[in-house]
Amino acid sequence: MSVPRISTALTGPLPHLERQFLNATATIEHWLRRQWQDRESPFYCSVDLRNSGFKIAPVDTNLFPGGFNNLNPDFHPLCVQAAMTALEKICPEAHGAVLVPENHTRNQFYLQNVATLQRILRHAGMTVRIGSLLPDVTEPREVALPDGGHLKLEPLRRRGNRLVVGDFDPCVVLLNNDLSAGIPEILRGVEQALLPPLHAGWAVRRKSNHFDAYREVAEDFAQVIGIDPWLVNPYFERCGRIDFHARKGEECLETYVGEILEDVRGKYREHGIDAEPFVIVKADAGTYGMGIMTVKDPSEVRGLNRKQRNKMAVVKEGLEVHEVIVQEGVYTFETMNDAVAEPVVYMIDHYVVGGFYRVHTERGKDQNLNAPGMQFAPLAFAAPCSSPDPDDPECPPNRFYAYGVVARLALLAAAIELERTEGADDTAGVESIATAAPGG
Amino acid sequence: MSVPRISTALTGPLPHLERQFLNATATIEHWLRRQWQDRESPFYCSVDLRNSGFKIAPVDTNLFPGGFNNLNPDFHPLCVQAAMTALEKICPEAHGAVLVPENHTRNQFYLQNVATLQRILRHAGMTVRIGSLLPDVTEPREVALPDGGHLKLEPLRRRGNRLVVGDFDPCVVLLNNDLSAGIPEILRGVEQALLPPLHAGWAVRRKSNHFDAYREVAEDFAQVIGIDPWLVNPYFERCGRIDFHARKGEECLETYVGEILEDVRGKYREHGIDAEPFVIVKADAGTYGMGIMTVKDPSEVRGLNRKQRNKMAVVKEGLEVHEVIVQEGVYTFETMNDAVAEPVVYMIDHYVVGGFYRVHTERGKDQNLNAPGMQFAPLAFAAPCSSPDPDDPECPPNRFYAYGVVARLALLAAAIELERTEGADDTAGVESIATAAPGG
């Protein structure tokens, strides 16, 4: 594999917060075990984190992770083992699975991700075929992969209430398509288990629901290990009726930007942090880093120019943005060869199975790194974030333990969020699709 | 770590049996998943295998594995993840554990195993202390380890119905002591969860019970993938009333040795195998490779000389042997630098977490390699036996898949065996101890 490996992007002694996590390992793991007793974990999840040294927080929780190809191949068995556990719980009788990918047939990295996922599921003992939603995939098509392998795309079809691929009728349908364009009719009312469920897709899902649940999880967690919850939780507010083109709802943005900057300034004072607060304004639904801006003063969201408004108004699949969240920005203090780096942690079931750094050579430490056209250099973690060593807190793998913990807090929040929004795919989903203007 | 790594001890194309396993991966994993639905896996287990090319079979299933230090350290996260799963199922509220080791304080390799186990449990989020049964450990004692680390042994004490170490009252007591010398009074009637249970110890356990269960598992499995069950199952019979010193019971041995040699000869003919059958005669209870002999003719067990009788009559802890099993010998066709090698597979819960080769420079391919005084060179598997690649059957990690499958069949047999012998620690255990003459 061509993925470069690094032990850590960090140098110097472990920051105070990471050391607190390491010292509380037994308490943290015990608490997490209890949380999962009566909750169902999403099948998989990736979490974008920011580590500013004094604070580690999730900034994005993805329920359709698309970078399994970036994980350290040494930890493939960890993915397989976690997938085995997930399948046993969710669907012990499962034998065959269909994987429904995004429609990006030209993105070689993404296709490599699909191939990696297929391999993980195969090694967990499933027969796996790829069911494409692409209208022009009308018969099986072999796609060449950068690593020399091939991926076979086949048309996903409906037979009664079941999804099939050719004559293959799977027990499980694994979605790796975030449904940004809405829930396709073919996926509705399906008899088979759909993992994750339809309401996990961006047609229904809202970041604000996620961060609402995350706030509660962070507060419980912080109490258990005796820290200020703010150290793992970014402030946020939601503006629900924005129209960037018509310049409607700017007051809401301006008010919340001001409030959050003020609150963060207070926390910086309280914790003796010498830095300038900033906030991130982004769409409440959707992914791929579109429609995101960094703001350091409320006046910046008043009177956006045409270019800024166009940038904010539309996300993936041409969806128009009317709901926005204003979230405290978290500096990233990690760099890699002078480029800013942010950790991404991958989980299958409720197990951390690896991660990588997203590195951007042309962005600042207060900017979103998941940006279109980015210079993207994934650096696989050398450790899978599951092995703290309380006896040796300076050893490199430990640095990843804190990432694994915060990522699992976000996963827990996603589980709660999905419980609360269950059944929403038949109502909010339709409404959301109705307001969307599909484009590219 | 000083463990040498090899990809495989094998060269040349995959034997037919291994290829059959690889082709049936989805069927095998699906079947195994179903088997575990209504069964409780032992907490951990190691299985000694023999691979003769035409046949892969377990020859010993250890419920108190003592070689975690020999596993490839790269797969430590796999052990941690499996331990997390086990703890969640068995004892979700567990926070603290006491590990009860064997009394071998001078065996540096064994102590390193205990330290490795402690690390696995710590990384799974437990507070772990070592509770020694040694009478002379009356206060905490630090023992130096070969790797430069330390292990702290503390006296295991009883407080009412609970086991404690100092002021530490654990939720779980993990036994890494096979109870060959009988069940110590201090462990009886304990309130806490004991893992594995007392009747998994050699005071109660019998290999014949295990291989009875294994025969059933092997027959079911063979039917599922359409092979002759003999290809994974060695013939065996039990002689229950042997007295080597008094030369009693030799007829039983002689009869069964003859029968098994004849049966194996028949199978060799049926499968076109050109080799001389042999059998292994060994104690029905106990471990550590004592009391084992290789026999190629029934006459060899008639009129054993004094040296042979002494060797067979006593196993670990000076226990006298009265129950013996006669088992079909399986050639090992694996070698490493001209030394005979046999694979040992490690599992935690029902997950394969790694393995190693036991290599013996002075033994033949038809002999027991787990022998006292052996030149023991563990070679960690480079792959954890969990990742078959159906698309690339010649790639090295695949060779380990078949080992992982057969080891899991033995684990399944152990689970069934423990179900059937539950409660036996209060009856057979006592009887067994009564007949034993404790020695060294």
Side-chain angles (χ1 to χ4, degrees), chain B residues 3-9 45-50 62 65-73 75 109 113 116 334 336 340-347 352-359 369-370 374 376-385 400 403 407:
Chain B
V3 178
R5 289 172 58 180
I6 50 161
S7 286
T8 171
C45 179
S46 72
V47 178
D48 292 3
L49 297 174
R50 287 293 187 113
N62 188 346
F68 278 96
N69 52 312
N70 294 329
L71 302 181
N72 185 336
F75 296 111
F109 298 109
N113 164 68
T116 306
E334 297 186 89
M336 177 71 46
V340 176
E342 97 190 356
V344 185
V345 175
Y346 269 62
M347 288 162 286
V352 175
V353 294
F356 52 86
Y357 280 100
R358 183 179 287 131
V359 182
L369 301 189
N370 191 355
M374 62 186 166
F376 181 59
L379 292 169
F381 289 177
C385 307
F400 300 113
Y403 295 164

Side-chain angles (χ1 to χ4, degrees), chain B residues 113-186:
Chain B
N113 164 68
V114 175
T116 306
L117 262 175
Q118 187 177 35
R119 195 178 322 125
I120 290 167
L121 292 169
R122 279 190 178 162
H123 290 179
M126 307 290 281
T127 304
V128 187
R129 285 163 75 169
I130 313 294
S132 175
L133 289 169
L134 273 174
D136 65 329
V137 174
T138 53
E139 50 187 49
R141 181 193 297 177
E142 291 271 347
V143 189
L145 297 174
D147 73 353
H150 283 82
L151 196 65
K152 189 179 181 185
L153 302 181
E154 300 183 83
L156 186 71
R157 305 245 191 247
R158 185 78 171 240
R159 194 190 294 154
N161 284 334
R162 298 188 70 83
L163 290 170
V164 296
V165 163
D167 56 357
F168 180 63
D169 183 336
C171 318
V172 178
V173 177
L174 186 66
L175 296 178
N176 196 249
N177 182 312
D178 68 14
L179 309 177
S180 283
I183 300 173
E185 224 22 72
I186 191 174

Side-chain angles (χ1 to χ4, degrees), chain A residues 292-307:
Chain A
I292 297 193
M293 62 188 287
T294 298
V295 180
K296 292 192 175 172
D297 192 279
S299 65
E300 294 174 47
V301 291
R302 196 191 314 141
L304 294 174
N305 63 32
R306 174 184 295 267
K307 194 180 154 200

Side-chain angles (χ1 to χ4, degrees), chain B residues 176-215:
Chain B
N176 196 249
N177 182 312
D178 68 14
L179 309 177
S180 283
I183 300 173
E185 224 22 72
I186 191 174
L187 297 183
R188 289 185 180 272
V190 164
E191 221 174 82
Q192 290 122 315
L194 278 181
L195 303 175
L198 292 178
H199 66 285
W202 284 122
V204 178
R205 202 174 164 226
R206 293 295 174 270
K207 287 170 190 152
S208 48
N209 289 332
H210 176 71
F211 284 106
D212 268 336
Y214 183 78
R215 176 160 42 203

Side-chain angles (χ1 to χ4, degrees), chain A residues 66-330:
Chain A
F68 277 97
N69 53 312
N70 295 329
L71 302 181
N72 184 336
D74 282 355
F75 296 110
H76 176 71
L78 214 52
C79 296
V80 174
Q81 189 174 297
M84 282 174 147
T85 308
L87 291 168
E88 269 176 32
K89 282 191 297 190
I90 298 164
C91 191
E93 288 298 326
H95 202 153
V98 159
L99 184 56
V100 180
E102 297 280 350
N103 290 341
H104 317 141
T105 47
R106 280 185 303 259
N107 183 335
Q108 298 280 298
F109 299 109
Y110 178 71
L111 292 175
Q112 198 73 64
N113 164 68
V114 175
T116 307
L117 262 174
Q118 187 177 34
R119 195 176 323 124
I120 290 168
L121 292 169
R122 279 190 177 162
H123 290 179
M126 306 291 280
T127 304
V128 187
R129 286 164 74 170
I130 313 294
S132 175
L133 290 170
L134 272 173
D136 64 330
V137 174
T138 53
E139 49 187 51
R141 180 192 297 177
E142 291 269 347
V143 189
L145 297 174
D147 74 352
H150 283 82
L151 197 66
K152 188 179 181 185
L153 303 181
E154 299 183 84
L156 186 70
R157 305 243 189 250
R158 184 79 170 238
R159 194 190 295 153
N161 284 334
R162 299 188 69 84
L163 290 171
V164 296
V165 163
D167 57 356
F168 180 63
D169 182 337
C171 318
V172 179
V173 178
L174 186 66
L175 297 177
N176 196 249
N177 182 311
D178 68 14
L179 310 178
S180 284
I183 299 173
E185 224 23 72
I186 192 174
L187 298 182
R188 288 185 182 273
V190 164
E191 222 174 81
Q192 291 122 315
L194 278 180
L195 303 175
L198 292 178
H199 66 284
W202 284 122
V204 179
R205 203 175 164 224
R206 294 295 175 268
K207 287 170 190 152
S208 49
N209 289 333
H210 177 70
F211 284 106
D212 267 336
Y214 183 78
R215 176 161 42 204
E216 298 165 31
V217 169
E219 278 165 7
D220 289 352
F221 171 78
Q223 194 169 16
V224 165
I225 67 161
I227 60 167
D228 181 346
W230 175 76
L231 295 174
V232 292
N233 184 32
Y235 289 127
F236 84 96
E237 293 292 348
R238 174 176 183 275
C239 291
R241 290 159 178 244
I242 302 282
D243 185 335
F244 284 101
H245 292 306
R247 296 176 178 277
K248 277 187 188 157
E250 285 185 356
E251 324 72 48
C252 175
L253 282 184
E254 195 178 340
T255 308
Y256 282 140
V257 167
E259 281 181 22
I260 289 175
L261 287 173
E262 200 41 57
D263 288 348
V264 175
R265 204 163 281 126
K267 279 291 176 188
Y268 279 12
R269 266 196 304 272
E270 182 186 332
H271 289 272
I273 295 153
D274 182 22
E276 191 191 355
F278 68 102
V279 300
I280 298 284
V281 178
K282 57 186 172 186
D284 199 10
T287 182
Y288 284 80
M290 296 157 98
I292 297 193
M293 62 188 287
T294 298
V295 180
K296 292 192 175 172
D297 192 279
S299 65
E300 294 174 47
V301 291
R302 196 191 314 141
L304 294 174
N305 63 32
R306 174 184 295 267
K307 194 180 154 200
Q308 289 169 316
R309 282 186 281 126
N310 283 344
K311 186 188 149 202
M312 291 302 295
V314 177
V315 289
K316 194 188 162 200
E317 306 277 358
L319 285 184
E320 266 194 55
V321 174
H322 296 288
E323 299 159 84
V324 160
I325 78 165
V326 180
Q327 189 173 46
E328 172 190 346
V330 181

Side-chain angles (χ1 to χ4, degrees), chain B residues 34 167 200 256 276 284 335 349 362 371 422 431:
Chain B
R34 281 220 327 265
D167 56 357
Y256 283 140
E276 191 191 357
D284 199 10
T335 56
D349 199 273
E362 284 155 51
E422 201 167 347
E431 186 194 321

